[in-house]
């Protein structure tokens, strides 16, 4: 039997004006932070460690352990930076969460800062989402006016400033060290590690960088307890999370479920692949995670399960493509994205992504040769693991995985001298205006 | 004598931006947005302005402003019209929408219409994949698009009509949007509440968990004009 959906972060999204302070307080908003402020900061860190919460931004690193890495009594200012630069293709969970429920993030920020003993936090939001900025700015000013931020938070002697910072269009700033450079007003380019941000992060001070969903999950854990949280998901991947279904699925959207649910189960909830079509390939966690096919429909979507199946859980961005989609076109378009977003710092990524695009373009037009397939894989080998950050590894993922499952489709392009697919059949309106909308009783 | 007298009216705002940060360098990205809120792009004078405010060289500021795609080197129209052509949106129809708009507006990528109203650009993934294919106007969501709706949208914008984001308030101009990006609240009454809590895809899982059926995108039955 499929696990039940577990709306926690999404629980209030049908409420009246859930983005306001009053709306958030109607669903126990800001009760967790009051509990946390009565605890010793180290106890708060221990609680998050005990919960087993793992980072929701892609890497899955244990959040409490990250907090524990911040050195204490070091005489330096500490910073919390929330990574709200959601840009990984397919990923669309943090943006709707911040639009509907910005106060839950603010509450998580206060708890996290108290735990790591930071007195200034930043929410680094990608710039291209104006309404998210509006909602965050409004929530932060409401929290200041209520005394939840600023001098003496909730009447304690704990001071906290929170700054909402808009980015300016650069996927690479989702990488935590590039984000820190960007927040310092520089080009967003990754730093060599060590030193890690926990030791020398923002302004060379100890800094914790956490994803929006990770921080947003903290108030619920404090409110409901470790046992409640561990009652969902698996032993090594406990808890609830937002799975984002997009593409050729009847009801795309956000589905909050325990970690370890499968795509087959999620598709059942989402009405299945669009009517009259069948699943061809999908990404488990954004375009940087190697693609799957229907063979992996029953893989548990948690950190271990997806890893064991040869990919990564990533951001749980499930992009669904049906049989009308050309995988070469998909791989080319993702590769163009990585070439565009490569920051230019490391030669293998900067030059490699450029050449990958040239070869893939030739292939899509049917002008490639079988030898080009070997060259593509060779180029991927020269990028993976040879750059400062994971962007290069991500660039290789769609190519390597699509060649693994669909080598014949690449060959068919050469044999026919062109793409065998009609792109108009993949569109949202291909099966008529109602193909996606309100068709079920 | 500076080249940026047209920007000195921003001095008070610039000081407020700088005051938000423990170190002034962090103010550079919002200051560049602030410059765009006045100029509609970042001119060489705008670069000088930021450099002088932050004690940086113009080379340092140029290096940053040219790194990020939201800073424009040529004037942008009143409405920046973005069409997502990253893989998922492209497959779902973004490529067809972009081709239709280039043809309809007689402009290429990153070009502005002759009347100076619209700048068309293909954009990368904007984190709204569950509403694909997606367009962004002045970085506000225009969800569940198709070529007919896209043509209708740009025609309304060019005709000066009020257009609402599918998940946000009435669209403001590019310059007004840039001021919000610089960290200043939208002064319009009701702007924060615009668009409600969430769109249909955002709510899909929550509705299913309550035993209800998601609504799917709204269907417009009338043909586009």
């Amino acid at each position: 039997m499929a696990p039940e959906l577990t709306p926690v972060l999404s629980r209030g999204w049908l409420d009246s004006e859930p983005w306001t302070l009053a709306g958030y307080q109607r669903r126990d908003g800001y009760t967790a932070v009051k509990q946390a402020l009565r605890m010793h900061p180290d106890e708060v860190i221990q609680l998050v460690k005990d919960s087993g919460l793992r980072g929701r931004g892609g890497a899955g690193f244990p959040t409490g352990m990250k907090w524990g890495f911040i050195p204490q009594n070091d005489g330096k200012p500490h910073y919390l930076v929330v990574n709200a630069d959601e840009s990984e293709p397919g990923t669309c969970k943090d943006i709707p969460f911040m639009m509907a429920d910005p106060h839950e993030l603010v509450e998580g920020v206060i708890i996290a800062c108290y735990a790591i003993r930071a007195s200034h936090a930043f929410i680094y939001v990608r710039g291209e989402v104006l309404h998210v900025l509006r909602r965050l700015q409004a929530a932060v000013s409401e929290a200041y006016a209520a005394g939840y931020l600023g001098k003496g938070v909730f009447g304690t002697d704990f001071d906290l400033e929170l700054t909402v910072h808009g980015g300016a269009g650069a996927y690479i700033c989702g990488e935590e060290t590039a984000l820190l450079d960007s927040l310092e007003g520089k080009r967003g380019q990754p730093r060599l590690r060590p030193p890690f941000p926990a030791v020398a992060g923002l302004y060379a001070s100890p800094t914790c960088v956490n994803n929006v969903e990770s921080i947003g999950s903290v108030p619920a854990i404090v409110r409901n307890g470790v046992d409640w949280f561990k009652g969902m998901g698996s032993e090594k991947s406990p808890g609830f999370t937002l799975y984002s279904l997009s593409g050729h699925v009847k009801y795309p959207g956000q589905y909050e479920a325990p970690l370890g649910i499968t795509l087959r189960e999620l598709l059942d909830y989402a009405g299945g692949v669009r009517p009259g079509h069948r699943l061809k390939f999908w990404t488990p966690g954004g375009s940087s995670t190697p693609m799957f096919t229907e063979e992996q429909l029953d893989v548990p979507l948690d950190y271990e399960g997806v890893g064991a199946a040869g990919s990564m859980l990533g951001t749980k961005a499930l992009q669904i493509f049906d049989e009308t989609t050309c995988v070469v076109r998909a791989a080319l378009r993702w590769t163009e994205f990585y070439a565009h977003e490569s920051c230019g710092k490391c030669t293998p990524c900067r030059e490699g992504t450029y050449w990958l695009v040239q070869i893939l373009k030739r292939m899509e037009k049917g002008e490639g040769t079988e030898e080009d397939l070997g060259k593509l894989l060779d180029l991927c080998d020269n990028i993976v693991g040879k750059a400062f950050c994971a962007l290069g590894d991500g660039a290789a993922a769609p190519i390597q995985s699509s060649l693994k499952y669909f080598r014949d489709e690449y060959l068919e392009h050469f044999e026919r001298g062109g793409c065998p697919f009609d792109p108009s059949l993949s569109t949202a309106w291909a099966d008529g205006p109602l193909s996606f909308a309100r068709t079920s009783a | 004598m500076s080249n940026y007298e047209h920007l000195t009216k921003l001095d008070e705002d610039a000081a407020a931006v700088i005051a938000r940060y423990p170190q002034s360098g962090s103010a550079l990205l919002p200051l560049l947005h602030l410059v765009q809120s006045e100029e509609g792009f970042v001119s060489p004078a705008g670069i000088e302005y930021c450099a002088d405010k932050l004690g940086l060289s113009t080379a340092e500021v140029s290096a940053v402003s040219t790194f990020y795609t939201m800073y424009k080197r040529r004037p942008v129209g009143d409405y920046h019209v973005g069409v997502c052509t990253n893989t998922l949106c492209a497959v779902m129809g973004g490529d067809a929408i972009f081709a239709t708009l280039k043809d309809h507006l007689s402009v290429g990528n990153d070009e502005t219409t002759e009347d100076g109203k619209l700048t068309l650009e293909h954009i990368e993934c904007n984190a709204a994949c569950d509403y694909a294919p997606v367009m962004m106007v002045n970085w506000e969501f225009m969800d569940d698009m198709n070529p007919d709706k896209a043509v209708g949208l740009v025609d309304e914008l060019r005709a000066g009509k009020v257009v609402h984001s599918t998940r946000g308030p009435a669209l403001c101009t590019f310059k007004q949007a840039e001021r919000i990006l610089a960290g200043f609240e939208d002064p319009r009454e009701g702007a924060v509440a615009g668009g409600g809590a969430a769109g249909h895809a955002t709510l899909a899982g929550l509705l299913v968990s309550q035993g209800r059926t998601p609504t799917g995108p709204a269907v417009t039955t009338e043909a586009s004009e």
Side-chain angles (χ1 to χ4, degrees), chain A residues 5 7 10-15 17-19 79 86-92 95-96 99-100 120 122 124 126-135 137-138 141 163-170 172-173 181-189 202-203 245-248 251-256 269 319-321 325 329-331 333-334 336-337 340-341 343 423 426-429 433-434 436-438 440-441, chain B residues 20-23 25-30 33 56 60 62-64 66-71 85-88 90-97 124-133 136 138-141 145-147 167-170 172 176-186 188 191-198 200-210 212-220:
Chain A
L5 295 173
S10 57
R11 72 191 184 286
W13 295 355
L14 283 161
D15 295 0
E17 307 207 321
W19 63 87
Y79 297 103
E86 182 166 66
S87 309
E88 166 77 9
T91 309
C92 49
I95 296 301
M99 283 210 326
H120 201 144
F122 299 85
Y124 184 108
R126 68 179 300 182
E128 304 98 320
V129 285
L130 204 61
H131 207 37
V132 175
L133 280 163
R134 271 194 204 96
R135 291 263 164 96
Q137 288 165 353
S141 54
T163 305
V164 177
H165 182 90
I172 190 60
C173 293
D181 263 27
S182 179
L183 185 51
E184 289 179 1
K186 299 170 188 153
R187 297 164 76 100
Q189 294 190 316
L202 186 65
Y203 315 130
L245 274 76
S246 61
H248 293 133
Y251 295 119
Q254 307 303 317
Y255 292 80
E256 203 170 359
Y269 284 127
Q319 304 175 89
I320 312 293
F321 297 93
T325 315
R329 178 186 179 207
R333 198 55 65 90
W334 277 322
E336 287 178 318
F337 166 77
H340 180 254
E341 300 297 337
C343 78
S426 306
T427 60
W429 55 85
L434 293 172
F436 275 82
R438 292 179 184 154
S440 75
Chain B
R20 284 182 211 141
Y21 299 95
Q23 296 191 12
S26 289
L28 181 52
L29 266 61
H33 282 304
L56 299 169
E60 286 170 311
S62 295
V64 171
T66 54
F67 182 84
Y68 297 93
T69 52
M70 289 178 79
Y71 301 129
T85 58
N86 201 300
T87 302
L88 190 118
V91 165
M92 298 294 286
D95 279 356
I97 292 169
E124 296 299 352
C125 186
N126 222 98
C129 317
D130 44 352
Y131 296 91
M136 304 296 293
N138 293 342
W139 308 117
E140 309 263 23
F141 291 112
M145 295 303 290
N146 62 40
R167 276 184 287 157
C172 56
Q176 288 165 338
E178 283 293 327
R179 193 175 160 78
I180 297 168
L181 280 157
F184 295 96
E185 292 188 22
D186 193 325
R188 297 175 300 164
V192 170
H200 68 88
T202 303
L203 297 172
L206 183 58
L207 285 168
V208 170
S209 78
Q210 297 176 355
R212 296 154 74 185
T213 305
T215 60
V219 179
T220 41

Side-chain angles (χ1 to χ4, degrees), chain A residues 91-112:
Chain A
T91 309
C92 49
K93 64 189 178 71
D94 297 336
I95 296 301
F97 170 59
M98 290 186 287
M99 283 210 326
D101 199 8
H103 279 286
E104 193 134 18
L105 179 62
V106 173
E107 184 176 15
V109 165
I110 303 169
I111 296 170

